[in-house]
Structure formats: structure tokens, C-alpha cells
Amino acid sequence: MADQNGYVILTAGETSLVLECAIGERPNMLYWGARLEAPDPDLIKAMTTRQHAPGCADTEIASSLLNETGTGMAGLSGFSAHRNGMAWASLFRVTRVLRPEPHRVEIVCEDEITKVRATHLIGLDPDCHVITCQTQIENSGDTALAIDWCASASLPLDPRATRLFGFTGRWSGEFHLEEIAPFLGSYVRENKSGRTSHDNFPGLLVGADETNEQAGPCFAFHLGWSGNNRVRVDRLSDGRSFVQMGEYFFPGETSLAPGEVYQTPPLYAGFSSRGFSALSRKFHRHLRYKVMDGRIDGKSRPIHYNTWEAVYFDHDHDTLFKLADKAASVGAERYILDDGWFGSRRNDKAGLGDWWPSDEVYPDGLCPLVKHVTGLGMEFGLWFEPEMVNPDSDLFRTHPDWILQAEGVEQIPFRGQFVLDLTRPEVCDYLFDCMHKLLSAHDISYVKWDMNRDVHHPGSRGRPAISQQTRALYALIERLREAHPNLEIESCSSGGGRADFGILRRTDRIWTSDSNDALDRQRIQRGASHFFPLEIMGAHVGPETCHITGRRLSMELRVATALFGHMGMELNLLEESAESLEVLKAGIALHKEHRDLLHHGDFHRLDTPEHVNAVGVVSDDKSEGLFSWCNLTGHRQTLPGRMYVPGLDASKTYRAKIIWPKPVRSISRPSVLEATDLGGEGMDIPGEALMQVGLQVPLLHPETCLIYHFQAV
Ligand code: DGJ
């Protein structure tokens, strides 16, 4: 935390940052990584001195916090702007250094020539050890300043961090982690979908050759933003590497009038010396305690029943009542009425924008259903897609000009809907009024806030406006939450298309994916867990035959998969057999029994062969652990390996049991189940043996998921 002669040092946990910020000089991140007990910045500077190399500039170009255009650094400049083609070579020098809090620094820089003030806002969370970087740009000139690109920061990468992982994905297949082959040059992902996106989640992981889930140095980066974004890694031929993340702008999108200020979204960055799982835990804690607002901290997350895959647009009054009865009887605690309840919304071609109950399907309004649901002891939740309008709607017929569009460019058809222009205050007022009216008139405590299309041409009054649109969306959600302080909101965008720390600052959970296929979900939830903790990941038990993949999976597997998340159901319970309802009910009861641990514990991903996904949570005091071992496809060897249980206390003894499915059977006998009674009363095993010797896993059929419980005795 010390400031020394033109340096600022931030240290928390196992992380240190050393920033160069001498007045009149360029700001720079001299060091970030493992904790330094007694950093001597002058010494670090001397130790890291580079030199002229033949064929290069006479003096090597020094990096800075943005590597802005005027620095002459190779690779993408972290800031690039101009005044109608002039004043384009910005170069920032420090003028002031402010310390609003011990773990935060604001480095104010000026460029007297281009008349730009750039302020770097950098914090190191003293409790969770996550770094937050934002850049503020002020136009201190007297003409308009067009910003083409402004990264939240340009962060240097440790040269030992050789392995790079990015995120790809698609609708119903989000959070796909992909290792990028070594390269010199750039790794770039640009998301222009107008939402966080399914295919370009703004996250990055970097590790050393030896880093795995449990050990080794690693770094992670995430942009807390729900609009367009750019993720970029430059590995320069001079050996230096930088990570940049920020908003992607369309041409001319961001122009500052004299005196105006632009602030980037936060870039969250973390370091761990103990592997990727430990790094995820930092992000989980930071999200839980520093990003989200804590309004529902004291409340257990209720089991959901969602009507979508049970009835789609077929909102039959009797069926919906009966589904509520059935849902309550198996343990649901919240009932969410999905798409189809309003206006002329009898299919996905009409009605969006007309936010009042359909006379046709709900002649007496929503009151009877809400009363029935709450009378059963469940909370009531309602689906909205506020940002959208169908051409076939009263709203569009009245206000055809309320949509985002680029003049002369045809709208690209996408689920038969257009995007409303939230940058117009009258549009947000309309949406607020509609939602406020419904929420005030009924006992509705939950909103599923959906967003189901990409935004290709986000023009407003001639200019591209997705940056402003995203800010307007945040403001609309905030306004609604202010008016309804107990309202909980789920961020859904055709599944996990809008999942990020920006939206989660204003909402309470994400709909992780539209795929309820448990095998898909094992991978999707594992991918998402790099940044998101279990309690914010919506995870539902879907129908036996998945509507999206056509795969048939057992109720036991579907339950085990949804159990490691914010659990819910999304299937037609009226068609389920008595036996399968019994299994579902038992699974829900099991989730409730362990919900506190699942939703507050320390999360671990295990290093396992490809055919296995194993994850778990351990309580803060290490007195209890819950782990899931899913045999996805079957193994190459005759037998599965052992599970080395991470995160326990080596000096404690644990009662180890397999608590799901019941009864648990192995393919052949005798097995570890008989040898240890793991499937029955359990067995007492020292923590050090569980961690170091490992527990043999019984021989399982593919598509089988075991849940192990470890209770300190
Ligand atoms: C997409 C969501 O992801 C689904 O869960 C469902 O709410 C549909 N939209 C409704 O249109």
C-alpha cells in the first residue's frame, strides 16, 4: 500500500502491484503477480531494464498503462482517438496521483497536445485480491474528440504465463474454454452482438506450462460489461505481452464534446499461485461480496419451477394451476411464468412490447394464478423481454420509430423482433411504467429479464449507440430495483448470452444456458465456474428427452447436474411418472439440505481425464465437502481412476459417503462400495488420505454422476 517516490504499491493476499506514476512521466505497471514482502521499486526497475536491440528504435519504447498511440508501442494501442483526423497521437503523462482509499489509486494523466485527460482507476480488493482497472477519458480540448478504442487497461503478462485459454461458444453451448496454440502476434475476439454474447464471453485465463486446477501460477481477466466488447492479447516479437479488454465501438460511436467524460467498463484481473480453481474462488468472492449488492445475502435461493419447457406458448389456465400444485409438491419454492402470458403473444411472432396480461388467456388477469402460487407457499416470478418489440404489436404500431436501426439498412430478421431504442427516455419510461404497474399490482417478487436477439445495426438518431444502449439498460434495471427494493432479477439472453459482472451488479442470477441437457450442462457449468459461483448459475432439471439435443438422460443424472447450481425444474411435471417424481423430490430435498454449502462454499474443479467432470465445494472451516464426479462418456482404461479430493483439512477425519444416486451400484462386484461401505453408512477417512491417496471411483456406466459427501467427525 506504500507510496514511494513516484511509485504506488498495492498488496493484498498473495498479490502485489507496483505502479510507476512519477509526475511528468508515463504511467506504467512495473510489476504484478505474486506478493512481494518488501518491494523496492527502484530495484525492480533496475532489474527489469531492457535495452536497445539491433533493427529497433534507438531506445526501447517503454510500455505504459494504455500503450496509447503516441507511445509508438507495437501491437494495438490501448487508446486511439482523434479530432477529425488531427490530434491522433495521444501520449499521457502523470499530473496527479490520488489515493481515495488505501487499496485504490487514481492516476491522472494529461496530454497537453491532444488535449485529453486520462485517469486510470486501479484497485486491489483487500479481501478477495481481485484487481479492478478502469480508464476515464475527458475531452479537455474545445472540439469533439472521437474515440475509436479505449481499453480499460493494457495489462502486461508475466512471460512465464505461456498457456492462454479463451472462451468460445454458441447458443445452448456457452462458456466453452479453448486453449490457444502459442503464437507471436495477436489473439483478438470482437463481439458485436449487442449483448455479452454466447460466442465471445469476455474472459481469459493464462497459466504457466505446469499450471492446472490445483497448482501453478495463473492469471484471469474478465470485462464486466454487457454490450459489445473486444478482447485482445498481443505477444510482441520483443518478448513483451499485453492483455486489453474494453468496449468495441462502431465507427463514430463515441465522440466526446468539450468537457465530456467517457469511462470504460471495469476490467477484473486476478492472480493465483495455486492453480485455476483458487483463482476462480477469488472471482467468486469478489462477485459475491464486492460486485453484487448483497440484498439477498441472508436468503436461501429458492428452488425454481419454470413453465417454459412444460408449456411454451400454450398457456392453459388449468394446466398452469396443476403445474403449480405439482411443483410445490416436489419442493419448488418459486414459480416462474415464462413467455406467452401477455398481449397477443401466442407464438414468438407477436406481442413483444405489449406488457399487459392477454385477455384471451388470462381473462381475469394474472391475479388468480399469482394468488394460487403464493397460496401454495411459493414466490411468483414473471418473464419479460423489455428491450424488444415485435412488428406485430400495439407498441410497434403506435411507435414504429422507437427501434434501433441504421438508415437505409434493412433489419436482419432475428426471432421476428426488433430492438427498442433505450437511449430515448420515452422508451424507458414506457417500459418502466408497464413493469412497475404489474409489479405493484401483484405479489411478484422475481423477474426473468430475457433478451433474445443480436443487435446488428444499433443506430439511434443516425449514430451507432450500443454503448449508450447498454448504459440505458443498466439505468432502467436500477430504476426498477429502486422502485421495488425486494425484486430479484434473473439475467437471461437466450440462455447465457448476457452473463457478466456488469449485469450481475444489477441482477441476481444468470440463466446459464437454454440447454437443459445434463451432459451439455456439466461442461457449460464448468466453463462458467471460472468466473461465476454456483449460486448465481441457474440450473434446471429438464425433460427426460432434451428438447434441444434430443438426448435421453436419467432423472438421477439430471438432478445431480442441476444440484450444483441454483437448482430448478423446467419440465412438464404432469407427464412424469410417480417414480421419477419421487427421484426428483429426493434430489430437491438433497439440494436444500446442502444448499448453504453449495451456495457459500469454496469451489473446486478437479483435474480429471476428459470423460469425467468432477467439481466440489468445501465449507469455509473445512468441516464439510460435497463433490460431484460425473462419468460423461466412459473411460479409455478398464477402470476409472481415483478422486483426489481437494480443499479438505489434512488433519481432520471425514465421514465419506456417496449420497447420490440412491442406491448406488457399480457395474461389477465387489468394488470400493463394498470395501468401504461408501454407499451405505460411509467410512471415516483422514483428510490427508482423501487428498493424497485418493478414493477409487467405482466402475460406472457412462452418463452417471455420483455425489460424495465428506463430513468432519
Ligand atoms: C429464451 C430463454 O432462454 C428461455 O428460457 C425462454 O425464456 C425463452 N427465451 C422464452 O421466449
Side-chain angles (χ1 to χ4, degrees):
M1 266 179 301
D3 291 6
Q4 299 177 18
N5 280 333
Y7 299 101
V8 167
I9 301 166
L10 302 178
T11 293
E14 54 170 347
T15 304
S16 289
L17 289 189
V18 182
L19 293 154
E20 271 183 286
C21 43
I23 306 296
E25 300 294 330
R26 288 160 48 191
N28 187 36
M29 190 160 290
L30 194 56
Y31 172 86
W32 83 284
R35 181 188 180 101
L36 301 174
E37 288 306 340
D40 174 344
D42 285 325
L43 181 65
I44 296 175
K45 193 159 163 95
M47 287 171 68
T48 54
T49 302
R50 295 166 62 88
Q51 67 194 77
H52 162 74
C56 300
D58 292 348
T59 310
E60 199 198 49
I61 299 170
S63 59
S64 74
L65 277 175
L66 273 183
N67 289 332
E68 60 276 15
T69 313
T71 62
M73 277 290 287
L76 180 76
S77 306
F79 176 72
S80 124
H82 61 96
R83 296 179 190 276
N84 201 15
M86 308 295 278
W88 51 273
S90 301
L91 187 71
F92 300 126
R93 293 192 183 278
V94 180
T95 53
R96 259 182 317 150
V97 178
L98 309 171
R99 301 300 302 276
E101 284 171 33
H103 286 88
R104 280 180 45 209
V105 57
E106 296 183 7
I107 306 173
V108 186
C109 305
E110 303 277 351
D111 179 348
E112 288 301 337
I113 310 294
T114 61
K115 299 274 183 255
V116 178
R117 178 170 302 133
T119 305
H120 301 281
L121 313 171
I122 300 176
L124 172 59
D125 175 357
D127 308 308
C128 315
H129 318 149
V130 168
I131 300 166
T132 308
C133 299
Q134 278 179 284
T135 303
Q136 225 173 49
I137 298 293
E138 186 181 336
N139 179 3
S140 46
D142 47 18
T143 55
L145 178 78
I147 302 180
D148 292 339
W149 165 240
C150 183
S152 302
S154 185
L155 293 178
L157 272 182
D158 188 313
R160 291 168 299 180
T162 44
R163 295 177 68 198
L164 174 70
F165 300 83
F167 286 85
T168 66
R170 58 168 164 83
W171 170 71
S172 84
E174 299 84 342
F175 306 110
H176 197 108
L177 202 62
E178 178 184 59
E179 181 159 9
I180 312 300
F183 62 92
L184 271 188
S186 309
Y187 168 76
V188 185
R189 303 194 71 90
E190 286 180 348
N191 162 40
K192 296 189 271 180
S193 67
R195 45 181 166 174
T196 324
S197 87
H198 296 89
D199 49 336
N200 285 303
F201 170 72
L204 271 181
L205 305 176
V206 194
D209 287 351
E210 72 278 14
T211 306
N212 58 29
E213 287 296 346
Q214 306 306 327
C218 48
F219 300 81
F221 305 83
H222 167 59
L223 187 75
W225 186 243
S226 318
N228 291 346
N229 64 58
R230 177 185 280 144
V231 168
R232 176 154 174 152
V233 181
D234 285 290
R235 291 200 186 276
L236 307 183
S237 58
D238 65 18
R240 293 177 289 183
S241 302
F242 298 90
V243 172
Q244 294 182 28
M245 290 189 186
E247 276 190 83
Y248 174 93
F249 295 139
F250 280 103
E253 180 162 4
T254 300
S255 175
L256 301 182
E260 257 187 344
V261 173
Y262 165 75
Q263 182 157 320
T264 67
L267 164 60
Y268 299 95
F271 163 77
S272 169
S273 60
R274 293 171 297 122
F276 291 119
S277 278
L279 189 49
S280 294
R281 292 195 288 277
K282 294 182 190 223
F283 279 88
H284 295 176
R285 276 195 290 269
H286 189 72
L287 179 68
R288 274 175 185 160
Y289 305 121
K290 303 297 169 86
V291 177
M292 297 180 76
D293 66 7
R295 288 174 325 142
I296 58 165
D297 278 0
K299 181 183 171 190
S300 293
R301 290 186 177 250
I303 299 279
H304 279 197
Y305 179 74
N306 184 295
T307 59
W308 180 239
E309 292 207 0
V311 300
Y312 292 106
F313 290 105
D314 191 5
H315 282 220
D316 170 65
H317 200 257
D318 264 12
T319 309
L320 290 169
F321 272 61
K322 284 190 191 132
L323 282 171
D325 295 338
K326 253 304 185 266
S329 76
V330 293
E333 297 160 313
R334 182 184 273 154
Y335 178 100
I336 293 106
L337 186 64
D338 211 286
D339 198 353
W341 57 268
F342 52 93
S344 55
R345 187 78 168 167
R346 302 291 74 77
N347 54 53
D348 66 4
K349 301 278 172 289
L352 285 175
D354 299 344
W355 299 111
W356 46 85
S358 150
D359 287 344
E360 203 184 317
V361 207
Y362 297 93
D364 302 318
L366 291 178
C367 267
L369 183 60
V370 175
K371 280 202 176 126
H372 185 69
V373 166
T374 52
L376 288 164
M378 293 187 285
E379 293 178 23
F380 192 90
L382 194 59
W383 181 94
F384 288 90
E385 194 177 359
E387 295 141 84
M388 299 293 159
V389 64
N390 285 120
D392 183 2
S393 66
D394 289 354
L395 180 65
F396 189 76
R397 280 182 284 272
T398 322
H399 298 289
D401 55 329
W402 274 14
I403 58 170
L404 291 173
Q405 53 196 330
E407 215 188 316
V409 178
E410 258 183 51
Q411 292 273 351
I412 295 177
F414 205 124
R415 217 188 185 209
Q417 58 196 53
F418 297 151
V419 188
L420 288 169
D421 181 354
L422 301 191
T423 72
R424 300 169 73 129
E426 63 274 27
V427 175
C428 284
D429 287 348
Y430 168 80
L431 294 171
F432 176 81
D433 290 346
C434 288
M435 296 180 80
H436 179 57
K437 195 167 156 201
L438 276 159
L439 298 176
S440 308
H442 303 90
D443 187 0
I444 299 175
S445 49
Y446 189 81
V447 161
K448 178 175 176 186
W449 189 302
D450 207 343
M451 194 283 202
N452 287 307
R453 69 159 292 167
D454 288 346
V455 193
H456 303 100
H457 304 123
S460 172
R461 301 172 196 96
R463 278 187 173 272
I466 208 67
S467 179
Q468 292 308 324
Q469 172 88 354
T470 309
R471 286 172 167 77
L473 165 76
Y474 286 168
L476 177 60
I477 299 176
E478 281 160 13
R479 186 172 167 196
L480 205 66
R481 272 162 80 103
E482 234 165 72
H484 300 272
N486 295 323
L487 182 71
E488 289 175 48
I489 302 180
E490 166 171 14
S491 172
C492 170
S493 183
S494 316
R498 191 150 68 194
D500 61 80
F501 281 23
I503 201 73
L504 281 166
R505 188 176 277 286
R506 291 130 183 126
T507 56
D508 305 284
R509 86 163 199 170
I510 55 169
W511 179 225
T512 319
S513 177
D514 270 352
S515 178
N516 287 322
D517 175 311
L519 289 184
D520 279 356
R521 276 304 191 111
Q522 287 281 336
R523 191 200 50 69
I524 293 169
Q525 289 167 205
R526 184 180 177 104
S529 76
H530 281 280
F531 293 95
F532 304 116
L534 295 181
E535 71 273 16
I536 66 110
M537 275 190 236
H540 292 175
V541 173
E544 181 178 35
T545 302
C546 173
H547 293 182
I548 289 177
T549 62
R551 197 152 38 201
R552 284 187 70 181
L553 296 168
S554 71
M555 180 59 92
E556 284 80 358
L557 175 67
R558 284 175 281 148
V559 162
T561 305
L563 199 130
F564 272 74
H566 177 191
M567 191 176 187
M569 301 161 259
E570 191 167 335
L571 70 172
N572 190 343
L573 294 171
L574 305 176
E575 288 173 354
E576 290 294 311
S577 67
E579 297 77 56
S580 106
L581 286 176
E582 273 316 304
V583 178
L584 179 58
K585 192 172 173 178
I588 288 172
L590 194 67
H591 177 85
K592 289 180 181 170
E593 196 183 330
H594 299 285
R595 173 159 57 187
D596 198 41
L597 173 60
L598 285 160
H599 290 176
H600 296 100
D602 283 338
F603 182 76
H604 296 261
R605 284 177 303 271
L606 276 65
D607 291 299
T608 49
E610 272 219 332
H611 69 275
V612 172
N613 179 36
V615 298
V617 280
V618 177
S619 62
D620 228 16
D621 62 0
K622 297 183 188 287
S623 63
E624 199 184 359
L626 195 70
F627 282 79
S628 138
W629 175 285
C630 185
N631 180 17
L632 304 163
T633 52
H635 22 89
R636 285 206 199 137
Q637 290 145 332
T638 50
L639 288 180
R642 292 182 212 161
M643 177 163 77
Y644 298 89
V645 190
L648 301 178
D649 181 340
S651 64
K652 286 187 162 68
T653 294
Y654 293 86
R655 170 59 55 102
K657 274 187 195 176
I658 296 176
I659 57 172
W660 188 267
K662 281 285 181 198
V664 53
R665 291 195 192 88
S666 184
I667 291 176
S668 63
R669 297 172 133 209
S671 72
V672 67
L673 298 175
E674 290 75 30
T676 60
D677 199 21
L678 275 181
E681 286 309 299
M683 186 180 186
D684 291 348
I685 309 179
E688 73 170 7
L690 287 167
M691 294 198 285
Q692 304 305 337
V693 178
L695 247 185
Q696 174 64 46
V697 174
L699 186 59
L700 304 170
H701 285 299
E703 302 173 3
T704 306
C705 186
L706 303 182
I707 296 181
Y708 290 79
H709 184 242
F710 303 101
Q711 177 70 58
V713 290

